[in-house]
């Protein structure tokens, strides 16, 4: 099979298209023929070696495709099933997938839509639902609402009945409005901590000074959740703020709920770019992701449906 392989950590030139062996089927796994995957910031970090790992390496986490084989212990899936999944080594034509991190895909959902959701969707779900416990009437600030995680978090928070503010550049203000953001903030023209107050939850996707300033807009017992960096304990000052960092933990339950919301139109992935499964295509997709200004998701189309 063809796969994008990294033999050494470094720049995009390390992403090389190679012919390698298909994954070996294990009893408790299934083999999925990948129709679409995506490029996430985590993939860029892995390519650079920031997470370490054994080389050679295939990166990629989001998987959408068709089951080609199932192990003898797998009972919930069969060959021919359309699925979306959290996985690993996704930049390949075939991938070994844990059934506990996969769900069957409704025929109404395209593979591109499905592959846009697992990583960012579950990250947003964990922030807004599991940890943030957002409920109707809550005031929520989501930083970088035009990004993959942010745009999904905005849609989930709005569905739960929250009042949502979100930051983005001037060119992405229209996107924030289309997602239903109640208070879009153009960070190029105004400071969020000068126009907001009494926020119940801040979802920080950026870290640094943005995180430090976010404390100013929270009410005294507000909550700050970050996927960017661990908050400084001294940031809260006299406030009783619950500030914490988390890394997403994939669960089948969350993936099933996200799939249901996808079929119901509650959430709709924002897809800005679709690159081909080629050395050049994936290198360009990584370069775009590295700018930090990509709108929504950058997708890789492996093959046509």
């Amino acid at each position: 099979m063809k796969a994008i392989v990294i033999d050494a950590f470094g720049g995009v030139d390390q992403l090389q298209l190679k012919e390698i062996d298909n994954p070996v089927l294990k009893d408790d796994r299934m083999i999925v023929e990948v129709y679409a995957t995506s490029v996430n910031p985590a993939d860029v970090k892995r390519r650079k070696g920031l997470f370490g790992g054994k080389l050679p390496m295939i990166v990629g986490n989001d998987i959408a495709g068709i089951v080609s084989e199932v192990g003898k212990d797998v009972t919930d899936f069969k060959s021919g099933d359309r699925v979306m999944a959290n996985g690993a080594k996704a930049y390949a034509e075939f991938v070994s997938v844990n059934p506990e991190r996969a769900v069957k895909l409704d025929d109404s959902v395209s593979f591109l839509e499905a592959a846009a959701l697992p990583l960012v969707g579950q990250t947003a779900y964990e922030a807004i639902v599991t940890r943030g416990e957002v409920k109707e009437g809550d005031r929520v600030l989501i930083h970088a609402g035009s990004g993959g995680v942010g745009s999904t978090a905005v849609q989930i928070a709005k569905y739960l009945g929250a009042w949502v503010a979100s930051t983005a550049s001037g060119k992405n203000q229209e996107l924030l409005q289309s997602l239903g953001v109640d208070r879009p903030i153009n960070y190029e023209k105004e400071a969020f901590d000068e126009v907001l107050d009494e926020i119940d939850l801040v979802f920080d996707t950026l870290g640094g000074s943005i995180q430090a300033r976010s404390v100013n807009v929270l009410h005294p017992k507000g909550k700050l959740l970050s996927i960017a960096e661990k908050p400084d304990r001294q940031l809260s000052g006299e406030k009783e703020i619950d500030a914490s960092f988390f890394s997403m933990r994939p669960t089948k339950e969350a993936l099933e709920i996200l799939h249901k919301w996808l079929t119901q139109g509650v959430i709709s992935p924002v897809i800005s770019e679709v690159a081909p499964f080629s050395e050049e295509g994936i290198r360009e997709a990584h370069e775009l992701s590295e700018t930090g200004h990509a709108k929504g998701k950058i997708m890789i189309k492996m093959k046509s449906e």
Side-chain angles (χ1 to χ4, degrees):
M1 70 171 183
K2 291 183 174 63
I4 298 292
V5 180
I6 298 169
D7 290 321
F9 297 124
V12 297
D13 58 312
Q14 298 299 333
L15 296 162
Q16 301 179 49
L17 185 65
K18 294 188 176 185
E19 191 76 33
I20 64 171
D21 293 336
N22 282 29
V24 176
L25 179 64
K26 297 181 179 180
D27 292 344
D28 61 347
R29 295 290 188 266
M30 56 189 184
I31 304 299
V32 174
E33 183 178 9
V34 184
Y35 275 66
T37 183
S38 76
V39 174
N40 292 295
D43 303 339
V44 173
K45 292 177 181 178
R46 287 195 184 280
R47 187 201 77 221
K48 292 180 175 181
L50 300 181
F51 296 154
K54 184 179 178 181
L55 295 169
M57 177 185 293
I58 301 171
V59 301
N61 298 96
D62 295 321
I63 296 165
I66 296 176
V67 177
S68 61
E69 296 180 88
V70 297
K72 66 181 183 67
D73 296 335
V74 177
T75 58
D76 294 338
F77 296 90
K78 66 182 185 301
S79 296
D81 283 344
R82 301 172 80 248
V83 296
M84 72 172 180
N86 289 100
K89 304 181 180 180
Y91 294 5
E93 291 183 307
F94 292 91
V95 176
S96 176
V97 171
N98 181 345
E100 290 304 309
R101 294 190 176 185
V103 296
K104 292 180 183 178
L105 195 59
D106 190 86
D107 289 340
S108 65
V109 180
S110 72
F111 287 127
L112 279 175
E113 289 177 306
L117 200 57
L119 192 147
V120 301
Q122 292 203 76
T123 301
Y125 183 92
E126 187 167 340
I128 303 301
V129 180
T130 309
R131 294 176 181 269
E133 300 177 312
V134 170
K135 60 187 182 301
E136 187 172 359
D138 281 353
R139 290 169 59 82
V140 177
L141 167 60
I142 297 168
H143 285 298
S146 61
V149 174
S151 60
T152 309
V154 165
Q155 294 177 73
I156 294 173
K158 287 299 299 178
Y159 173 69
L160 295 175
W163 180 94
V164 177
S166 186
T167 58
S169 64
K171 67 179 182 180
N172 288 325
Q173 293 301 297
E174 187 175 333
L175 172 60
L176 294 186
Q177 293 172 9
S178 72
L179 294 174
V181 172
D182 299 284
R183 180 54 166 95
I185 297 170
N186 178 356
Y187 64 74
E188 297 169 327
K189 292 185 176 180
E190 56 184 347
F192 71 89
D193 50 339
E194 293 180 0
V195 298
L196 297 176
D197 61 13
E198 295 299 308
I199 297 295
D200 296 293
L201 170 69
V202 173
F203 182 24
D204 167 40
T205 61
L206 301 170
S209 64
I210 299 298
Q211 183 185 99
R213 291 164 51 202
S214 293
V215 173
N216 300 330
V217 307
L218 284 164
H219 70 64
K221 294 187 179 181
K223 184 179 293 185
L224 186 150
L225 293 170
S226 179
I227 56 171
E229 61 181 280
K230 189 175 180 179
D232 187 332
R233 289 181 178 272
Q234 297 181 356
L235 280 180
S236 59
E238 296 179 359
K239 295 183 178 181
E240 298 177 27
I241 291 169
D242 178 4
S244 60
F245 168 86
F246 76 95
S247 293
M248 184 272 289
R249 296 179 181 177
T251 68
K252 192 177 185 73
E253 178 186 9
L255 201 59
E256 288 174 340
I257 292 172
L258 289 165
H259 176 258
K260 181 180 72 172
W261 286 347
L262 191 58
T263 60
Q264 294 174 340
V266 171
I267 55 177
S268 179
V270 175
I271 297 174
S272 61
E273 299 287 338
V274 179
F277 178 55
S278 66
E279 201 170 81
E280 181 182 6
I282 290 185
R283 286 179 178 182
E284 290 179 355
H286 268 240
E287 288 175 340
L288 176 58
S289 180
E290 273 188 277
T291 67
H293 296 294
K295 183 169 66 174
K297 292 288 295 183
I298 304 168
M299 306 304 301
I300 304 295
K301 185 176 181 179
M302 308 288 286
K303 48 179 66 73
S304 299
E305 300 191 33

